[in-house]
């Protein structure tokens, strides 16, 4: 059974809000008047991306029979907010801690890659939804908002996957690389390409490529 402590729920909520606020600052260019509009939209992409990323780690660890719990990192929250004013979000508000006397590289690698895989899958789902509703977004205001949500969802989840797969410090990438170099290369290549495309041609450009 997957259980959550009250402290864990609190930490997830706080981290979710701070990360959403950080990406809102980033995407509005510090235009606080526009933040009222974009914050709820960002919350959808970040909310699903961040929460499900951490739950991916948690459920994977518990699948192997280990207790795991998300804990926020106060310094990471401050860094996320501060970095958003510099044109990038250092998204490390906390981590899922797995309590085990020993974790072999394979188990640790599978637990670690679960989060980025969730982000990659979510990014693809957002892109597919955006592709389906793209023709309607020109005429329907509601579809325009949904398209914007999906566009940000694709961009943010691609970025979160790529960022977490960087093989430095205690990020997921270092543990995945230690377990299986080929799997690390494939996953960071996929997320990296998606991130690059989202930053260059944009989601609308990707859709035009897909539909010819």
């Amino acid at each position: 059974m997957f259980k959550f402590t009250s402290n864990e729920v609190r930490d997830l909520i706080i981290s979710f809000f701070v990360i959403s606020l950080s990406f809102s600052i980033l995407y509005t260019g510090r235009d606080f008047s526009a933040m009222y509009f974009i914050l709820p939209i960002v919350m959808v992409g970040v909310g699903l991306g961040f929460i499900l990323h951490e739950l991916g780690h948690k459920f994977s660890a518990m699948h192997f029979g280990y207790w795991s719990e998300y804990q926020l990192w106060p310094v990471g929250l401050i860094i996320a907010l501060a970095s958003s004013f510099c044109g990038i979000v250092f998204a490390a508000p906390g981590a899922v801690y797995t309590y085990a006397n020993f974790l072999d590289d394979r188990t640790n690698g599978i637990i670690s890659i679960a989060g980025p895989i969730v982000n990659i899958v979510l990014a693809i789902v957002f892109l597919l939804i955006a592709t389906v509703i793209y023709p309607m977004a020109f005429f329907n205001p509601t579809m325009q908002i949904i398209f914007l949500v999906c566009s940000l969802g694709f961009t943010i989840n691609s970025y979160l996957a790529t960022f977490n797969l960087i093989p430095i410090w205690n990020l997921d990438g270092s543990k995945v690389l230690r377990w299986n170099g080929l799997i690390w290369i494939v996953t960071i290549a996929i997320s990296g390409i998606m991130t690059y495309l989202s930053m260059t041609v944009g989601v609308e450009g990707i859709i035009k490529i897909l539909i010819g």
Side-chain angles (χ1 to χ4, degrees):
M1 181 181 294
F2 300 120
K3 296 181 179 180
F4 295 86
T5 65
S6 57
N7 287 343
E8 185 176 22
V9 174
R10 178 203 62 198
D11 287 1
L12 281 168
I13 293 173
I14 293 173
S15 299
F16 157 70
F17 181 77
V18 171
I19 287 296
S20 297
L21 181 60
S22 299
F23 276 101
S24 297
I25 293 171
L26 175 69
Y27 283 113
T28 57
R30 300 182 297 278
D31 182 358
F32 293 98
S33 61
M35 202 173 299
Y36 292 102
F37 170 74
I38 200 171
L39 180 59
I41 295 174
V42 171
M43 279 182 167
V44 176
V46 171
L48 288 174
F50 168 71
I51 297 294
L52 294 183
H53 174 104
E54 300 302 339
L55 293 184
H57 291 314
K58 179 182 179 70
F59 292 168
S60 295
M62 299 182 79
H63 169 76
F64 286 106
Y66 301 113
W67 172 252
S68 63
E69 182 178 1
Y70 176 82
Q71 297 178 20
L72 65 76
W73 181 36
V75 174
L77 296 178
I78 295 172
I79 292 175
L81 277 174
S83 62
S84 67
F85 288 92
C86 303
I88 190 173
V89 175
F90 187 86
V96 170
Y97 290 87
T98 300
Y99 297 93
N101 293 327
F102 173 76
L103 277 178
D104 61 86
D105 288 343
R106 178 181 178 276
T107 303
N108 201 19
I110 292 173
I111 293 172
S112 298
I113 203 172
I117 289 293
V118 167
N119 292 130
I120 290 173
V121 171
L122 278 174
I124 294 172
V125 170
F126 276 123
L127 180 61
L128 290 176
I129 296 173
T131 302
V132 170
I133 69 172
Y134 178 67
M136 296 177 281
F138 292 100
F139 313 104
N140 189 312
T142 301
M143 290 300 176
Q144 290 176 4
I145 294 176
I146 295 174
F147 182 80
L148 180 56
V149 169
C150 292
S151 297
L152 285 175
F154 174 80
T155 300
I156 291 173
N157 278 279
S158 299
Y159 170 77
L160 288 175
T162 304
F163 175 81
N164 281 281
L165 283 169
I166 298 174
I168 59 172
W169 189 43
N170 200 35
L171 294 178
D172 298 327
S174 60
K175 302 163 192 173
V176 176
L177 181 60
R178 189 161 55 244
W179 162 49
N180 191 308
L182 179 59
I183 290 178
W184 175 79
I185 290 172
V186 171
T187 50
I188 198 171
I190 293 172
S191 65
I193 290 171
M194 292 195 304
T195 302
Y196 174 77
L197 290 175
S198 71
M199 293 181 174
T200 52
V201 301
V203 173
E204 188 172 350
I206 297 173
I207 292 173
K208 289 179 179 178
I209 294 172
L210 292 175
I211 64 179

